[in-house]
Amino acid sequence: MLINRPRGTNDILPGDVEKWQFVEETAREVCRRFNVKEIRTPIFEHTELFQRGVGDTTDIVQKEMYTFEDRGERSLTLRPEGTAAVTRAYTENKLYAQPAPQKLFYIGPMFRYERPQSGRYRQFHQFGVEVLGVNDPAVDAEVIALAMTFLHEIGLQDLSLEINSVGSPDSRTHYRDILREHLTPVKEQLCKDCQTRFDKNPMRILDCKVDTCKGLTQDAPYMLDHLVEADAEHFKALCEYLDSFGVEYKVNPRMVRGLDYYTQTAFEIIESGSTIGGGGRYNGLVEQVGGPESPGIGFAFGVERCLIALNTQQVTPDIPTGLDVFLVSLGEAAQKATSALLQEFRISGLVADKDYLGKSMKAQMKAADRQQARRVVILGDDELAQGVANVKDMATGEQSTVGIDELTSHLLSTLE
Ligand code: AMP
């Protein structure tokens, strides 16, 4: 019986993978310009890292982690997100001792046990950026600008950037009381999860997907109106920097991100009602995973969501496909000779291929066409004996006879 891929996972096949490569290459290129360096961390980590780093009350930790015991009876978890792991690596490798800020990015798979649907998978991919060691609103603005530059350069338009401040712990302590006070009269009407959240982390209630809870929190006071002075100033400065960059945004005082570690700046980027990505500042996180006090800010985009948005906006990235050369052979000696020629072409930098199934000349020409070859080199036994081959320019139909020894240099000089 056929074994299928696990639910919520995808095979990314040729034809699609080029778009993935385009998105990933654009991410790398934009990071290069912003002087952000790549970091690669393990796919699995100690479960405790996410419990502490992502937060015990989050959906991710409570419901969505792929946790398993290895043969040494350690509890490990497939990473559900990137930030906790990056802060762990930052601490463990003492990157905090190097000049600040440390600007890092990652691209790779993440794992969450969620109900699969369009745009929601159990293995998905994120492009993320984390800037550690500086608590300057200019850095928040730059990180947001990097995110927007990336999205524009992959070709997306009309995106909605929403920003908010979720406050520092000082603001939150104060705001939690205000929120509890506001919700006390309706506490019993909240969903079961939210009743637990009421004591543990009432801000989570604002993020609840249940309609009754949404209704009950509609008139709740805004965090943004209850920030301590330093947080309010940070937010104001962030807005000024974004204005000066010409980055358009909307303040959404209702936004709370799904993760516990955010402090002050929080932002999301939305396309046609779906969140492509988001992030924010997390000034306490490094300490929480056992490191020294280090501020940080970052974001993560879902690569799949970026690709869905490209589809929705009917953007077709300009991806070079097709071969430089397809080798067509006639006769046994010529067929043999093509292998060494192919190797020579490839070493010289040409994208080259040939037929291996002994097909007819017509079928080989068809294959060349299908693979969008720009040139076809036709080699028969007679030509081989004379040391020549025919080169056909597939765009113009022009044919010329070229000495086999000069083929590579001829192709290189006429193809560019
Ligand atoms: P988060 O780490 O939850 O803030 O998610 C950041 C981004 O990752 C989201 O905006 C989505 O684009 C993407 N994402 C999160 N969870 C999933 C999932 N299960 N499937 C696909 N993309 C996801």
Side-chain angles (χ1 to χ4, degrees):
M1 207 176 79
L2 180 69
I3 300 169
N4 293 321
R5 61 178 187 265
R7 205 163 120 77
T9 65
N10 290 299
D11 298 313
I12 305 156
L13 304 175
D16 264 338
V17 82
E18 293 79 8
K19 288 184 205 132
W20 282 74
Q21 290 165 342
F22 163 75
V23 168
E24 289 163 3
E25 279 159 21
T26 308
R28 285 173 201 285
E29 166 55 21
V30 171
C31 284
R32 202 175 63 78
R33 271 186 264 148
F34 279 77
N35 196 24
V36 176
K37 307 276 198 271
E38 183 172 4
I39 182 165
R40 300 187 187 195
T41 62
I43 299 285
F44 58 86
E45 297 272 357
H46 291 293
T47 302
E48 198 188 342
L49 173 70
F50 302 115
Q51 287 169 338
R52 275 206 265 159
V54 179
D56 269 335
T57 60
T58 56
D59 278 355
I60 292 183
V61 171
Q62 291 199 339
K63 301 179 197 158
E64 297 170 1
M65 294 209 299
Y66 275 94
T67 298
F68 60 97
E69 250 186 28
D70 73 359
R71 287 168 194 273
E73 294 176 7
R74 295 169 200 91
S75 178
L76 299 170
T77 295
L78 299 184
R79 60 181 189 192
E81 56 96 60
T83 308
V86 171
T87 55
R88 198 259 318 130
Y90 172 82
T91 304
E92 190 170 341
N93 298 286
K94 300 193 173 55
L95 298 185
Y96 52 79
Q98 295 183 23
Q102 288 289 304
K103 304 201 270 182
L104 304 164
F105 82 89
Y106 57 84
I107 303 175
M110 304 292 161
F111 306 85
R112 294 185 197 172
Y113 191 79
E114 294 194 85
R115 254 177 88 88
Q117 48 184 282
S118 164
R120 189 170 297 285
Y121 312 100
R122 290 182 172 170
Q123 173 171 338
F124 60 100
H125 298 75
Q126 285 187 339
F127 157 47
V129 167
E130 315 290 351
V131 176
L132 291 140
V134 176
N135 187 23
D136 180 344
V139 171
D140 302 32
E142 269 188 45
V143 166
I144 293 175
L146 190 166
M148 297 313 286
T149 305
F150 159 73
L151 293 170
H152 287 140
E153 293 202 8
I154 61 170
L156 293 175
Q157 289 171 350
D158 302 325
L159 300 162
S160 158
L161 165 65
E162 298 190 352
I163 64 170
N164 189 21
S165 175
V166 294
S168 63
D170 283 350
S171 295
R172 283 182 184 216
T173 313
H174 174 57
Y175 176 66
R176 267 189 209 119
D177 292 340
I178 295 172
L179 193 58
R180 277 201 197 97
E181 201 175 304
H182 178 84
L183 292 174
T184 300
V186 294
K187 187 180 170 191
E188 305 304 315
Q189 296 166 49
L190 294 167
C191 76
K192 250 205 159 80
D193 283 346
C194 281
Q195 293 195 17
T196 315
R197 289 172 185 145
F198 185 91
D199 295 315
K200 276 201 189 164
N201 188 353
M203 278 174 76
R204 272 272 83 73
I205 301 173
L206 301 175
D207 200 22
C208 184
K209 304 281 178 289
V210 178
D211 283 340
T212 13
C213 298
K214 277 189 192 168
L216 292 169
T217 54
Q218 219 165 30
D219 307 322
Y222 294 143
M223 169 95 248
L224 203 55
D225 295 332
H226 296 276
L227 295 174
V228 298
E229 201 181 324
D231 292 350
E233 271 171 20
H234 191 99
F235 188 69
K236 184 166 165 266
L238 165 66
C239 294
E240 285 167 4
Y241 279 118
L242 289 176
D243 291 337
S244 74
F245 295 175
V247 171
E248 282 177 29
Y249 59 89
K250 204 176 93 191
V251 176
N252 174 4
R254 269 285 166 255
M255 186 207 310
V256 272
R257 305 268 308 128
L259 308 171
D260 274 357
Y261 50 59
Y262 289 112
T263 58
Q264 299 177 321
T265 306
F267 64 96
E268 277 182 357
I269 291 136
I270 297 152
E271 201 278 339
S272 308
S274 161
T275 309
I276 308 183
R281 186 162 272 291
Y282 44 81
N283 287 351
L285 183 61
V286 178
E287 268 176 296
Q288 217 155 330
V289 301
E293 194 185 326
S294 304
I297 176 157
F299 68 77
F301 283 126
V303 177
E304 288 85 351
R305 301 272 176 95
C306 292
L307 292 165
I308 290 170
L310 286 176
N311 242 349
T312 312
Q313 297 199 357
Q314 296 179 336
V315 179
T316 338
D318 188 16
I319 299 167
T321 50
L323 304 175
D324 292 325
V325 195
F326 193 89
L327 265 165
V328 167
S329 62
L330 284 164
E332 216 171 297
Q335 160 79 7
K336 272 206 176 122
T338 52
S339 287
L341 262 181
L342 198 56
Q343 172 69 359
E344 190 183 316
F345 290 167
R346 288 168 173 170
I347 285 177
S348 77
L350 293 165
V351 184
D353 217 338
K354 65 170 210 147
D355 159 65
Y356 296 89
L357 300 173
K359 285 187 186 151
S360 70
M361 164 97 174
K362 200 172 150 201
Q364 289 184 58
M365 289 305 289
K366 236 180 165 169
D369 218 30
R370 199 177 46 243
Q371 302 208 50
Q372 299 167 346
R374 294 164 69 197
R375 300 282 185 280
V376 173
V377 169
I378 305 158
L379 190 66
D381 283 353
D382 290 349
E383 284 95 349
L384 183 65
Q386 293 168 35
V388 295
N390 285 317
V391 179
K392 183 173 179 185
D393 182 326
M394 296 295 272
T396 61
E398 251 170 70
Q399 288 214 33
S400 50
T401 306
V402 180
I404 290 178
D405 292 343
E406 284 90 54
L407 260 180
T408 304
S409 56
H410 171 83
L411 289 165
L412 283 171
S413 63
T414 58
L415 275 166
E416 250 6 284

